[in-house]
């Protein structure tokens, strides 16, 4: 995917493009929400990332959770689609980010301590969650706390 995005950026420069992301909302065996402290900004967010060419959204979400957390998860349902969000990245690339979030359950794996994308894995009660790194992820958290499902924004 990195090569695909780099090739696209060579053609359009920093202009806005639509980027498709997929991720998962899941809880550990103690019922705590599992979140990632991201290495790019050292703030909290849901596990997820760019969809690669040839992948389904669910496949991308499962792959990203594994890469960023060490957990193996199985998608159980659609949580929501968050599509009217905009980002300007550190290199000045601009994008409208479309993120499809799935509910998932842990089916195996070993949680990582840290890697190039994750500084820390955190486990939170919904009654005391951290602030999310961006509006899109905060909206996901707010919807989760309020009990919404099958959200589209």
């Amino acid at each position: 995917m990195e090569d695909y995005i780099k090739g696209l950026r060579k053609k359009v420069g920093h202009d806005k493009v639509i980027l498709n992301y997929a991720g998962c909302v899941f809880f550990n065996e103690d019922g705590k929400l599992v979140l990632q402290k991201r290495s790019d900004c050292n703030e909290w967010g849901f596990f997820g990332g760019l969809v690669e060419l040839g992948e389904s959204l669910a496949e991308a979400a499962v792959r990203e959770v594994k890469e960023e957390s060490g957990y193996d998860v199985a998608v159980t349902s659609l949580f929501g689609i968050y599509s009217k969000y905009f980002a300007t990245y550190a290199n000045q690339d601009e994008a409208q980010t479309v993120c499809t979030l799935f509910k998932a359950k842990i089916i195996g794996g070993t949680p990582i301590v840290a890697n190039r994308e994750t500084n820390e894995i955190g486990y939170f009660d919904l009654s005391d969650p951290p602030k999310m790194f961006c509006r899109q992820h905060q909206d996901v958290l707010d919807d989760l706390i309020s009990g919404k499902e099958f959200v589209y924004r």
Side-chain angles (χ1 to χ4, degrees), residues 137-153:
H137 284 234
Q138 188 63 52
D139 285 349
V140 173
L141 179 62
D142 292 345
D143 290 342
L144 183 64
I145 290 168
S146 69
K148 292 181 182 174
E149 287 189 71
F150 313 113
V151 179
Y152 51 94
R153 288 182 185 239

Side-chain angles (χ1 to χ4, degrees), residues 23-151:
C24 290
V25 172
F26 62 99
F27 296 83
N28 69 3
E29 62 280 352
D30 297 324
K32 301 223 182 218
L33 178 63
V34 185
L35 295 173
Q36 165 199 44
K37 188 172 257 189
R38 300 166 53 99
S39 63
D40 60 352
C41 62
N42 203 40
E43 295 184 66
W44 294 103
F46 292 93
F47 296 96
L50 285 165
V51 179
E52 294 182 1
L53 286 174
E55 271 185 319
S56 72
L57 293 166
E59 289 167 339
V62 168
R63 174 185 52 77
E64 286 288 341
V65 168
K66 180 67 172 179
E67 290 174 5
E68 296 174 350
S69 73
Y71 284 116
D72 296 312
V73 296
V75 167
T76 58
S77 66
L78 178 65
F79 180 75
I81 300 170
Y82 295 79
S83 61
K84 198 170 181 182
Y85 299 84
F86 299 90
T88 301
Y89 298 96
N91 65 359
Q92 300 309 304
D93 286 353
E94 294 185 75
Q96 179 176 352
T97 60
V98 177
C99 189
T100 302
L101 273 289
F102 295 94
K103 281 187 159 181
K105 64 179 180 178
I106 298 171
I107 58 171
T110 303
I112 61 162
V113 175
N115 67 17
R116 67 179 183 83
E117 294 183 271
T118 303
N119 284 347
E120 180 183 346
I121 295 175
Y123 305 89
F124 299 92
D125 287 318
L126 286 182
S127 63
D128 189 27
K131 179 181 177 286
M132 297 287 104
F133 83 98
C134 70
R135 178 80 253 157
Q136 190 175 47
H137 284 234
Q138 188 63 52
D139 285 349
V140 173
L141 179 62
D142 292 345
D143 290 342
L144 183 64
I145 290 168
S146 69
K148 292 181 182 174
E149 287 189 71
F150 313 113
V151 179

